[in-house]
Amino acid sequence: MPWLPRLAVMVVGLIAANTPPVSAETVDELYQSQTIVTGQGEVNRQIGFKACLDAVLVRVSGDQRLPKRTEMAALRDKAGSFVAEFRYRDRLEGIPIHDEQGTHDRPHDLTCLYRPDVIDPVLAALGSKPWLGERPRLAIFLAAEQGTRQFVLTADDEGAAMRESFVNATGPLVMPIVFPEASLLSASKLDDQALRHADITTLDQLARKAGADQALAGSIVWSDKELGWIADWRLALNGKSYNWQVRGVSFDEAFRVAMRGAAQILSGNGQPE
């Protein structure tokens, strides 16, 4: 492929690119990624390195489109060369190994650590850049519907499994979230129906009362036809409102789509796909 030599030259030539100053703690947190692998064998480790490369590029840049770039195929082939350090954590730690099961069968968290002066040039070669600095805290305004059950996800009412899932979805992108208290929504007369149609500017104002920087609003509806949830999301930036949707997924994936879309917008990479 004719672009491969050019890409290699760009990566090598940009290795010395400067990264704007951020704290060591922030760099360490940002330039890492994690995936689940089976055992600690070399074959599965290489598979994990590929997944971690995709994840760290999105984590650092906020650009969820990068893994779909055609150039990624060549980069994944040498994914391990970008890793500075890696470590494993046995997800079944404390559970004895059965006779029929060896350590190679057990699921492990594989965490890969990277250096900015390695990852930043790769981003530049892909036409992207790091999204540095403190990331905004989002207040989640979510109306949920499953059959006759309808509710708003708050900090103190039903929906504990959804709250936990949403928090888990923030980890890969290092984006903090909060859930509004039920009393705040009640005082604003925002039930599940009103929330679906509430102006995003109004929700941004409520987000600040909830201790966040701005609002991420959405609705999630179970569909028997889609065999999953239909989720619609919206967020505003610099006076422009963005909308995106996912259909027929678990609510775990719906929340991951929400956070990836928010990162896409807030990092300056435009409309979520």
Side-chain angles (χ1 to χ4, degrees):
M1 299 182 193
W3 55 265
L4 278 174
R6 294 198 300 271
L7 178 62
V9 170
M10 289 178 69
V11 170
V12 172
L14 289 165
I15 282 291
N18 292 326
T19 300
V22 291
S23 71
E25 180 181 358
T26 301
V27 170
D28 289 345
E29 182 181 18
L30 190 60
Y31 285 82
Q32 64 176 264
S33 59
Q34 187 179 92
T35 192
I36 299 173
V37 296
T38 302
Q40 300 183 30
E42 179 65 21
V43 172
N44 285 331
R45 181 183 305 138
Q46 294 304 320
I47 294 172
F49 283 164
K50 293 178 181 181
C52 282
L53 178 62
D54 283 11
V56 76
L57 293 176
V58 174
R59 181 181 178 94
V60 174
S61 69
D63 190 351
Q64 63 178 314
R65 299 168 299 181
L66 294 184
K68 300 176 183 178
R69 294 283 299 269
T70 56
E71 298 96 324
M72 286 302 301
L75 292 172
R76 291 187 190 104
D77 285 342
K78 54 181 180 181
S81 68
F82 300 113
V83 179
E85 300 177 40
F86 66 90
R87 57 175 178 258
Y88 289 102
R89 185 184 72 85
D90 187 345
R91 293 176 65 87
L92 301 180
E93 187 176 6
I95 300 176
I97 298 174
H98 301 298
D99 291 340
E100 69 278 9
Q101 179 195 52
T103 55
H104 60 281
D105 296 319
R106 292 165 72 91
H108 287 71
D109 289 327
L110 170 63
T111 300
C112 292
L113 311 179
Y114 301 87
R115 289 173 50 89
D117 60 0
V118 172
I119 292 300
D120 291 0
V122 175
L123 289 174
L126 292 170
S128 187
K129 62 182 180 180
W131 175 30
L132 301 176
E134 187 175 357
R135 300 191 173 183
R137 183 182 301 273
L138 300 177
I140 306 301
F141 294 94
L142 177 64
E145 177 181 338
Q146 186 174 22
T148 59
R149 181 182 177 225
Q150 301 180 27
F151 64 95
V152 175
L153 190 63
T154 66
D156 40 13
D157 282 344
E158 61 182 310
M162 284 190 172
R163 283 194 298 272
E164 180 180 1
S165 175
F166 225 133
V167 170
N168 289 339
T170 69
L173 292 158
V174 202
M175 294 183 64
I177 61 172
V178 298
F179 301 99
E181 294 184 358
S183 58
L184 177 64
L185 297 181
S186 178
S188 304
K189 296 181 171 56
L190 282 177
D191 59 15
D192 63 295
Q193 292 301 317
L195 182 56
R196 295 173 190 271
H197 306 289
D199 182 76
I200 193 67
T201 303
T202 300
L203 295 180
D204 279 342
Q205 294 170 354
L206 285 177
R208 288 186 280 274
K209 291 182 179 180
D213 298 300
Q214 65 183 100
L216 170 59
S219 65
I220 185 168
V221 180
W222 175 261
S223 170
D224 290 333
K225 180 180 178 180
E226 298 280 354
L227 298 177
W229 296 89
I230 300 172
D232 290 275
W233 304 104
R234 53 198 176 104
L235 182 146
L237 180 67
N238 298 329
K240 181 178 179 180
S241 183
Y242 294 84
N243 299 270
W244 65 105
Q245 185 189 76
V246 65
R247 305 176 69 89
V249 298
S250 66
F251 64 69
D252 296 307
E253 178 60 14
F255 300 155
R256 287 191 286 265
V257 167
M259 296 310 301
R260 289 197 295 263
Q264 177 89 6
I265 296 163
L266 295 169
S267 61
N269 285 296
Q271 175 66 41
E273 297 178 352

